[in-house]
């Protein structure tokens, strides 16, 4: 009995032991899987750190060595991780002048204080570089430094730019000090600065005496209001045209000054430069008194009169102002040559000197320039009055007369050149005798020059038989009764013996008496081209079946690709299609690495040696995509790369079909389709890995989210460009070729109907590719902005959905970063996608506005809603999860408000800066 109990206890012990062992093995397997996943994530993070421009590093205090440096760190310093095995390695490359500063920073780090500083290091090549270093120390519970993590950024160029800016400011300051014109700076109607000339104008000895004084101490009271308005205008416009002021000089006398001003937004002040125009004002007063005596005499004269004193126009009467297109104030103070074209300026000065020497100027023709830029031709006469040193200039507008003369000459010259340069033979004949022939006539009739043609009769040119035939065709009436002859074609024996075909027409010229004009041109080439065109049309009809089969193949293949979800299915379908169209079984799909190792994956297992040798000579990784190569034993084309290996399609025999252009284009187009799908599969695999990473439950940091979304947008852009430049362009080429065939009225009706259906199907494919390109990369986002791009998105969505979209957009008032713009656009895209798939709503409202340095995006629909508590936290809801992650990547907040059957509301806020 005791032995039985002993056996039972032993049996129970072993059963329990095996159960514990099984549980222990499962735990070990789970831990091993988690370690592998963690290793993959760490590898991914290291790869990303290696690909940014900021150098990153980690120092392990326990191991006393650097355990990680990025590629950028090695680029910035010029050293490898092996150079940093010593604890003092980094301190050794710090510039000696910054060593004490670095020691202070190192002491702070040992206390666990994070550091961000700039100092110099000596690069491995000996160059001195400024770097910005940010270090985060890790301290254990005993206060010991156990780890340092940091980033290094090369700021040498920024430092150089700052030094150059300082030099530029110093040069500008010295220039202002040396300017002879008074220059002052004011803010809030008080002096901030004045150069030496300005201090002298205001009667100050030093700059300290002047600073803080009111600006109105140098202006009489009647100028104060004008000055205030002028300063406000300069601030608004950021600059101002010169304005005249009366200024109080250092001795109390009034000085006439012309003042220019600009606004300096950096210091919120205005800068004013003074020009003393007192002497000029005195001269103007004296001239005005002199001009008044002459103005009364000439002001009402019907001819244009201008008066000049010392070479300056002091008066012009209304008739002159009308010719010049300017008011009196615009003309007075200018010189006569200010109103002539540049080419006549020097001549005008010479004429003015002659006038001053001789006292009179005979009539001269000069071209004037009005204030509106229009040129006026004038006839000018001058008289010099020596008693008061005044020149009187009388001028009249002869533009219309000169234009009429030039137009007549130009018309005659144009007609002559048209006839002389015309490629068509032009003959004038009177009583059937040729009186004129242009150069083209000599070439047409085989003569050395026109003189050999002039004097011949019509039958000498046409031949007696052709002449009699034309005369018989026109009947008893002569050419002048008929007004000419119809267009006629005939063969012509040239003077040099050549036989050509010509087309000619004759018209009567009754205003020149019994004169007629004959136009003739050589149509030999055109006749030959018509024959060649007829032959080409026959060839097109013969090859239409071939084009039809190739296009049908492309349509069927592209249609089948919509159902392909695996690369292996795609490869099999490609091999089958090429076999069927080319009529050969020797079609092989193989993969080749960069070393030239080749493995057959689909199709015929045998590949000609010459084809393999050609692939190895070119190098699989260097072969251009979708370009067909030919050898004596076959053909091959690279269709893409998968996991670093090239995928190459081979035709194992030299087929005559691939010598023709159409089958070659078909095969290369087919390859582009497959190449694009390879890229799509690779993108899908990357996305799947990212989804798996997210499903692991780890929350990625915001900077990593932004980095991943940035990579995604770049991939979308590249894929959109590839689709547009490759598949779409090829489709458009084939569409135009097919369109030309459908327009051929020589084809049977049933064929044209079938081609029209194929043409419409191809047009639908082109439209779908365009839509895909636009969805991958919205074309108007950067050019037109976020508001216009969203409106375009809503317009397109309304065409495909049953709900109405109400969009309310307020000007955000911020300069938004491109990443935030594309992020908001993608979130709205996802909102519309969810509304289309799940909401069953009839109305969707989207609002976007800003406030409190935040950008707000609100969404609301009247659909079926959802259970917020159980839906938004599940990974299966990819759209909502994607929105949450995008918002988190932009450091924003998102809130979902909904209950079943009562619609859905989404509130999003994102920092604007």
């Amino acid at each position: 009995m005791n032995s039985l109990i002993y056996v039972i206890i032993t049996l129970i012990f072993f059963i329990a032991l095996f159960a514990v062992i099984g549980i222990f093995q499962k735990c070990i397997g789970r831990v091993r899987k988690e370690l592998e996943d963690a290793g993959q994530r760490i590898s991914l993070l290291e790869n990303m750190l290696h690909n940014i421009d900021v150098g990153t590093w980690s120092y392990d205090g326990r191991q006393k060595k650097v355990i990680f440096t990025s590629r950028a760190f090695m680029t910035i310093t010029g050293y490898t991780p092996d150079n940093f095995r010593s604890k003092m390695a980094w301190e050794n490359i710090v510039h000696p002048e910054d060593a004490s500063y670095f020691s202070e920073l190192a002491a702070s780090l040992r206390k666990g204080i994070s550091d961000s500083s700039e100092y110099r290091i000596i690069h491995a090549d000996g160059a001195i570089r400024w770097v910005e270093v940010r270090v985060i120390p890790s301290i254990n519970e005993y206060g010991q430094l156990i780890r340092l993590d940091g980033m290094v950024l090369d700021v040498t160029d920024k430092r150089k730019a700052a030094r150059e800016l300082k030099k530029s400011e110093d040069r500008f300051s010295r220039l202002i000090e040396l300017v002879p014109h008074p220059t002052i700076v004011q803010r809030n109607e008080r002096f901030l600065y004045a150069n030496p000339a300005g201090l002298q104008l205001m009667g100050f000895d030093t700059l300290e005496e002047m600073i803080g004084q009111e600006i109105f101490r140098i202006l009489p009271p009647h100028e104060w209001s004008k000055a205030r308005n002028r300063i406000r205008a300069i601030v608004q416009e950021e600059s101002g045209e010169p304005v005249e002021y009366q200024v109080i000089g250092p001795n109390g006398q009034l000085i006439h000054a012309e003042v220019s001003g600009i606004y300096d937004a950096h210091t919120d002040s205005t800068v004013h430069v003074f020009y003393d125009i007192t002497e000029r004002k005195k001269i103007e007063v004296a001239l005005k008194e002199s001009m008044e005596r002459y103005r009364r005499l000439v002001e009402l004269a019907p001819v244009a009169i201008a008066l000049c004193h010392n070479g300056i126009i002091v008066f012009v009467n209304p008739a002159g102002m009308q010719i010049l297109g300017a008011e009196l104030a615009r003309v007075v103070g200018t010189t006569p040559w200010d109103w002539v074209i540049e080419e006549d300026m020097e001549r005008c000065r010479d004429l003015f000197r002659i006038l001053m020497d001789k006292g009179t100027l005979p009539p001269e023709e000069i071209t004037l320039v009005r204030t509106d830029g229009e040129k006026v031709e004038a006839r000018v006469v001058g008289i010099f009055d020596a008693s008061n040193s005044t020149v009187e200039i009388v001028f009249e507008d002869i533009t219309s007369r000169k234009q009429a003369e030039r137009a007549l000459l130009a018309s005659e010259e144009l007609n002559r050149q048209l006839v002389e340069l015309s490629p068509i033979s032009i003959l004038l004949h009177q009583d059937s005798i040729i009186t004129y022939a242009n150069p083209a006539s000599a070439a047409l009739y085989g003569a050395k020059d026109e003189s050999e043609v002039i004097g011949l009769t019509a039958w000498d040119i046409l031949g007696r038989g052709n002449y009699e035939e034309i005369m018989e065709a026109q009947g008893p009436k002569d050419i002048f009764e008929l007004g000419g002859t119809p267009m006629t074609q005939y063969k012509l024996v040239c003077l040099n013996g050549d036989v050509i075909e010509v087309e000619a027409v004759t018209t009567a010229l009754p205003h020149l008496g019994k004169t007629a004009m004959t136009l003739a041109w050589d149509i030999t080439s055109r006749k030959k081209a018509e024959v060649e065109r007829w032959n080409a049309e026959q060839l097109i009809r013969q090859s239409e079946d071939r084009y039809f089969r190739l296009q049908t193949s492309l349509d069927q293949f592209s249609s089948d690709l919509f159902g392909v979800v695996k690369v292996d299915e795609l490869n099999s379908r490609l091999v089958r299609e090429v076999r069927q169209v080319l009529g050969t079984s020797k079609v092989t799909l193989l993969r080749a690495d960069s070393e030239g190792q080749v493995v057959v994956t689909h199709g015929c297992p045998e590949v000609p040696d010459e084809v393999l040798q050609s692939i190895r000579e070119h190098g699989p990784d260097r072969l251009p995509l979708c370009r067909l190569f030919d050898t004596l034993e076959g053909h091959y084309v690279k269709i893409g790369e998968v996991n670093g290996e090239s995928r190459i399609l081979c035709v194992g025999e030299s087929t005559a079909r691939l010598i023709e252009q159409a089958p070659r284009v078909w095969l290369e187009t087919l390859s582009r389709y497959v190449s694009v799908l390879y890229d799509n599969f690779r993108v899908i695999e990357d996305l799947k890995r990212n989804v798996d990473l997210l499903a692991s439950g780890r929350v990625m940091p915001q900077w990593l989210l932004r980095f991943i979304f940035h990579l995604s947008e770049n991939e979308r852009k590249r894929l959109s460009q590839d689709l547009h430049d490759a598949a779409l362009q090829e489709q458009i080429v084939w569409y135009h070729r097919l369109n030309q065939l459908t327009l051929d009225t020589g084809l049977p009706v049933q064929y044209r109907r079938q081609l029209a259906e194929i043409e419409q199907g191809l047009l639908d494919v082109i439209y779908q590719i365009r839509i895909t390109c636009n969805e991958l990369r919205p074309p108007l986002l950067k050019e037109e902005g976020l508001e216009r791009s969203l409106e375009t998105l809503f317009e397109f969505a309304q065409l495909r959905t049953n709900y109405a979209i109400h969009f309310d957009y307020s000007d955000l008032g911020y300069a938004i970063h491109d990443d935030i713009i594309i992020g908001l656009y993608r979130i709205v895209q996802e909102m519309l996608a969810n509304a289309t798939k799940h909401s069953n709503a009839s109305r969707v409202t989207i609002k976007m506005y800003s406030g409190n340095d935040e950008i707000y995006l609100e969404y609301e629909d009247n659909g079926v809603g959802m259970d917020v508590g159980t839906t938004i936290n599940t990974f299966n809801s990819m759209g909502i999860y994607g929105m949450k992650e995008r918002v988190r990547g932009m450091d924003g907040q998102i809130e979902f408000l909904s209950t079943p059957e009562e619609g859905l509301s989404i509130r999003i806020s994102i920092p604007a800066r």
Side-chain angles (χ1 to χ4, degrees):
M1 187 67 172
N2 290 333
S3 64
L4 178 60
I5 293 173
Y6 177 76
V7 171
I8 292 174
I9 292 173
T10 302
L11 182 61
I12 292 173
F13 172 75
F14 278 108
I15 292 173
L17 180 62
F18 284 124
V20 171
I21 292 173
I23 293 172
F24 184 68
Q25 287 177 340
K26 289 182 179 178
C27 291
I28 291 175
R30 185 166 60 255
V31 171
R32 183 181 294 112
K33 179 65 169 60
E34 291 177 354
L35 287 175
E36 292 176 354
D37 292 342
Q40 291 178 356
R41 288 193 293 272
I42 291 173
S43 177
L44 176 61
L45 289 173
E46 287 184 353
N47 287 336
M48 286 188 291
L49 290 175
H50 278 309
N51 289 314
I52 61 178
D53 294 333
V54 179
T56 57
W57 56 273
S58 293
Y59 173 78
D60 192 324
R62 297 187 184 94
Q63 301 180 35
K64 304 299 183 182
K65 68 177 183 178
V66 175
I67 59 174
F68 172 79
T69 59
S70 66
R71 294 190 187 95
F73 179 87
M74 291 183 280
T75 301
I76 293 172
T77 65
Y79 296 100
T80 64
D82 293 336
N83 298 116
F84 292 92
R85 295 191 179 277
S86 168
K87 183 178 180 181
M88 303 296 292
W90 179 261
E91 185 175 353
N92 291 336
I93 70 171
V94 174
H95 194 275
E97 295 180 6
D98 293 338
S100 59
Y101 175 64
F102 177 80
S103 299
E104 295 175 3
L105 297 175
S108 299
L109 291 175
R110 285 192 291 271
K111 296 177 182 179
I113 302 174
S114 299
D115 164 55
S116 178
S117 56
E118 290 186 8
Y119 50 84
R120 291 166 290 179
I121 65 170
I122 301 176
H123 193 269
D125 59 7
I128 297 175
R129 295 191 179 181
W130 280 92
V131 294
E132 180 181 349
V133 182
R134 300 180 182 179
V135 184
I136 301 174
S138 298
I139 305 297
N140 62 12
E141 63 271 18
Y142 303 108
Q144 297 174 336
L145 183 65
I146 61 172
R147 183 184 178 92
L148 292 174
D149 295 288
M151 294 183 293
V152 180
L153 181 64
D154 191 338
V155 296
T156 305
D157 292 338
K158 184 179 75 174
R159 285 278 184 162
K160 289 181 180 178
R163 288 198 300 271
E164 291 300 323
L165 178 60
K166 181 65 169 59
K167 291 180 181 178
S168 177
E169 291 176 348
D170 292 342
R171 287 195 299 269
F172 179 74
S173 177
R174 290 196 298 272
L175 178 63
I176 292 297
E177 292 291 329
L178 297 175
V179 168
H181 301 291
T183 302
I184 67 169
V185 180
Q186 73 82 31
R187 182 174 60 206
N188 297 329
E189 300 181 355
R190 293 188 179 274
F191 293 118
L192 294 180
Y193 168 81
N195 67 347
L199 292 175
Q200 182 179 358
L201 172 69
M202 292 180 287
F204 289 110
D205 295 328
T206 64
L207 188 62
E208 289 74 12
E209 294 180 56
M210 178 272 301
I211 293 176
Q213 298 287 336
E214 290 188 352
I215 63 173
F216 298 115
R217 65 171 293 158
I218 65 170
L219 297 175
H222 65 270
E223 296 282 20
W224 291 358
S225 176
K226 176 181 176 181
R228 286 193 177 96
N229 295 335
R230 177 65 174 169
I231 291 173
R232 283 195 293 269
I234 291 175
V235 172
Q236 292 175 356
E237 302 294 333
E238 297 187 356
S239 64
E241 296 293 330
V243 174
E244 292 184 7
Y245 287 96
Q246 284 186 326
V247 181
I248 302 175
N251 298 323
Q253 77 279 15
L254 289 180
I255 299 173
H256 289 277
E258 189 175 69
V259 184
S260 300
I262 61 172
Y263 174 64
D264 182 7
H266 181 68
T267 59
D268 190 26
S269 60
T270 56
V271 182
H272 304 269
V273 181
F274 292 73
Y275 299 89
D276 189 345
I277 59 171
T278 304
E279 293 301 321
R280 192 183 79 185
K281 297 293 290 186
K282 292 179 180 178
I283 294 174
E284 289 177 355
V285 172
L287 288 176
K288 191 176 297 183
E289 294 175 354
S290 176
M291 287 168 55
E292 187 62 29
R293 292 193 297 270
Y294 295 97
R295 182 177 295 111
R296 290 193 295 269
L297 298 175
V298 298
E299 193 168 27
L300 300 178
V303 295
I305 301 175
L307 299 180
C308 296
H309 183 77
N310 294 332
I312 303 296
I313 298 176
V314 296
F315 174 78
V316 63
N317 69 345
M321 289 187 285
Q322 183 177 1
I323 292 177
L324 297 177
E327 297 178 353
L328 181 62
R330 184 73 179 272
V331 181
V332 171
T334 63
T335 64
W337 40 88
D338 288 336
W339 297 94
V340 302
I341 62 174
E342 186 176 355
E343 294 84 349
D344 284 352
M345 281 186 181
E346 193 60 35
R347 174 168 165 257
C348 181
R349 290 188 177 95
D350 293 340
L351 292 176
F352 197 83
R353 284 192 290 269
I354 294 172
L355 172 61
M356 297 292 290
D357 293 338
K358 296 185 176 181
T360 59
L361 179 69
E364 293 282 347
E365 292 184 0
I366 297 176
T367 303
L368 307 177
V369 180
R370 291 166 49 90
T371 55
D372 57 7
E374 182 180 350
K375 295 180 180 179
V376 177
E377 295 185 76
R379 187 170 181 268
V380 181
V381 177
I383 301 173
F384 175 56
D385 184 359
S387 62
N388 53 19
S389 300
T390 302
V391 174
E392 181 178 331
I393 301 174
V394 181
F395 54 100
E396 63 174 323
D397 186 352
I398 59 171
T399 305
S400 299
R401 189 185 74 192
K402 298 295 288 185
Q403 286 177 346
E405 293 175 357
R406 283 194 295 269
L408 180 60
L409 293 175
S411 176
E412 294 176 352
E413 180 63 19
L414 176 62
N415 292 333
R416 186 190 67 78
Q417 290 184 0
L418 287 176
V419 173
E420 292 290 331
L421 300 177
S422 173
I424 298 175
S425 167
I426 300 177
L427 299 174
L428 295 182
H429 42 92
Q430 190 173 31
D431 295 331
S432 298
I433 297 176
I434 297 173
T435 58
Y436 170 81
N438 68 341
S441 301
L444 180 66
Y445 298 114
K448 295 179 181 179
D449 52 42
E450 304 94 296
S451 61
E452 292 188 11
V453 181
I454 297 174
L456 297 178
T457 61
W459 50 83
D460 291 331
I461 293 294
L462 301 178
R464 179 66 66 175
N466 286 330
Y467 178 78
E468 292 177 352
E469 182 179 344
I470 294 172
M471 291 297 102
E472 182 179 352
Q474 73 183 37
K477 296 182 179 180
D478 63 18
I479 190 173
F480 295 98
E481 293 182 73
L482 296 172
T485 62
M487 194 172 297
T488 308
Q489 295 182 5
Y490 50 84
K491 289 187 177 182
L492 175 68
V493 179
C494 299
L495 299 180
N496 58 7
D498 294 339
V499 178
I500 61 174
E501 292 190 68
V502 298
E503 194 170 58
V505 63
T506 301
T507 182
L509 302 175
H511 62 285
L512 297 177
K514 284 286 187 177
T515 301
M517 179 173 64
T518 297
L519 305 179
W521 53 93
D522 189 349
I523 60 171
T524 306
S525 298
R526 192 184 79 188
K527 286 289 188 179
K528 186 182 296 184
E530 290 176 354
V531 173
E532 293 176 353
R533 178 178 176 277
W534 185 87
N535 293 332
E537 290 175 352
Q538 297 303 312
L539 291 176
I540 291 174
R541 290 188 177 91
Q542 293 172 4
S543 61
E544 75 176 28
D545 184 56
R546 176 184 59 202
Y547 280 103
F548 180 77
R549 289 198 308 273
L550 294 177
Q551 186 59 46
T552 302
S553 168
L554 285 176
D555 292 343
Q556 185 61 44
F557 185 75
S558 62
S559 176
D560 292 347
L561 293 185
F562 286 109
V564 173
V565 296
K566 295 181 179 180
V567 176
D568 191 62
E569 294 178 9
L570 173 63
N571 293 337
S572 299
R573 180 66 181 89
L574 174 63
V575 172
R576 185 170 69 252
E577 187 68 23
V578 176
R579 282 178 176 174
Q580 181 178 348
V581 174
L582 297 183
T584 177
S585 61
K586 295 182 178 181
V587 178
T588 305
L589 184 63
L590 53 84
R591 67 171 186 264
D593 57 22
S594 60
E595 302 298 330
Q597 299 298 322
V598 174
V599 177
V600 174
T601 61
H602 296 79
C604 180
E606 298 179 357
V607 181
D609 293 338
E610 186 172 343
V611 173
L612 293 177
Q613 182 180 356
S614 177
I615 292 174
R616 293 188 178 101
E617 289 176 353
H618 284 90
D621 55 340
R622 296 190 299 273
L623 285 174
L625 282 174
C626 307
R627 176 181 169 188
L628 186 61
F629 288 85
D630 304 310
T631 68
L632 295 177
E633 295 184 357
H635 316 268
Y636 64 92
V637 58
K638 180 179 177 180
I639 60 177
E641 291 187 357
V642 177
N643 298 327
E645 294 180 327
S646 300
R647 294 295 192 268
I648 301 175
L649 180 71
C650 301
V651 179
E653 62 180 5
S654 181
T655 173
R657 294 190 178 185
L658 288 180
I659 297 176
E660 300 176 4
Q661 181 66 17
R664 294 177 68 89
V665 172
W666 165 83
L667 184 55
E668 290 178 348
T669 302
L670 210 63
S671 301
R672 288 190 180 95
Y673 286 176
V674 177
S675 178
V676 170
L677 280 181
Y678 276 169
D679 291 340
N680 290 342
F681 282 133
R682 184 170 62 254
V683 172
I684 291 171
E685 289 176 0
D686 293 341
L687 291 176
K688 183 178 179 182
R689 282 195 296 270
N690 289 336
V691 171
D692 292 340
L693 181 63
L694 293 173
S696 66
R698 293 292 300 273
V699 178
M700 286 186 290
Q702 290 181 353
W703 68 268
L704 183 55
L705 272 176
R706 289 192 290 268
F707 181 72
I708 290 175
F709 283 130
H710 183 70
L711 290 179
S712 174
E713 291 301 328
N714 286 341
E715 187 63 22
R716 287 170 178 260
K717 180 179 179 181
R718 188 190 65 80
L719 183 58
S720 173
Q721 190 68 35
D722 289 346
L723 281 173
H724 182 275
D725 294 344
L728 181 60
Q729 298 303 320
E730 289 294 339
Q731 291 283 1
I732 292 174
V733 170
W734 283 104
Y735 171 77
H736 286 308
R737 291 185 179 180
L738 188 60
N739 180 259
Q740 291 176 356
L741 287 176
T742 57
L743 296 177
D744 188 354
T745 57
L747 289 175
V749 176
Q750 62 272 23
Y751 287 169
R752 280 192 289 157
R753 187 181 302 112
Q754 293 176 1
L755 289 175
E757 293 175 358
I758 296 172
E759 179 184 357
Q760 185 60 43
L762 185 57
L763 194 60
D764 292 341
V765 172
I766 293 173
Y767 178 69
Q768 288 298 325
I769 294 178
R770 286 188 185 276
I771 291 176
T772 302
C773 291
N774 290 341
E775 289 181 347
L776 286 172
R777 188 66 178 175
L780 300 176
L781 197 55
K782 285 190 175 181
E783 292 79 1
E784 300 292 339
L786 181 59
E787 179 183 8
R788 182 69 187 100
S789 299
L790 289 177
E791 290 175 349
T792 303
L793 175 64
F794 297 150
E795 291 172 1
F796 181 72
Q798 296 280 225
L799 300 176
R800 302 185 297 178
T801 59
N802 295 324
Y803 53 78
I805 300 175
H806 300 275
F807 180 45
D808 185 3
Y809 181 92
S810 299
D811 185 13
L812 302 181
Y814 300 103
I816 307 175
H817 194 274
D818 289 346
D819 290 344
I820 295 180
I821 292 176
I822 192 64
L824 291 172
Y825 184 87
R826 295 299 184 200
I827 290 172
V828 174
Q829 268 188 322
E830 192 58 50
M831 287 176 172
L832 295 181
N834 287 338
T836 302
K837 295 177 182 178
H838 309 297
S839 71
N840 292 331
S842 62
R843 185 187 73 255
V844 169
T845 301
I846 295 177
K847 297 180 180 179
M848 189 175 294
Y849 57 95
S850 63
N852 300 324
D853 288 337
E854 296 280 331
I855 297 174
Y856 298 96
L857 173 61
E858 298 182 358
Y859 166 91
E860 184 176 345
D861 67 40
N862 62 349
V864 298
M866 67 178 182
D867 186 348
V868 176
T870 60
T871 302
I872 65 172
N873 294 321
T874 60
F875 187 72
N876 294 330
S877 179
M878 291 297 295
I880 292 178
Y881 185 83
M883 282 191 284
K884 291 175 61 180
E885 290 300 282
R886 277 196 181 272
V887 172
R888 188 167 68 87
M890 293 185 286
D891 197 20
Q893 301 291 328
I894 186 170
E895 180 183 9
F896 296 87
L897 302 173
S898 177
T899 55
E901 306 300 331
E902 294 187 6
L904 171 65
S905 296
I906 305 175
R907 304 286 186 269
I908 296 173
S909 63
I910 296 171
R913 302 183 187 276

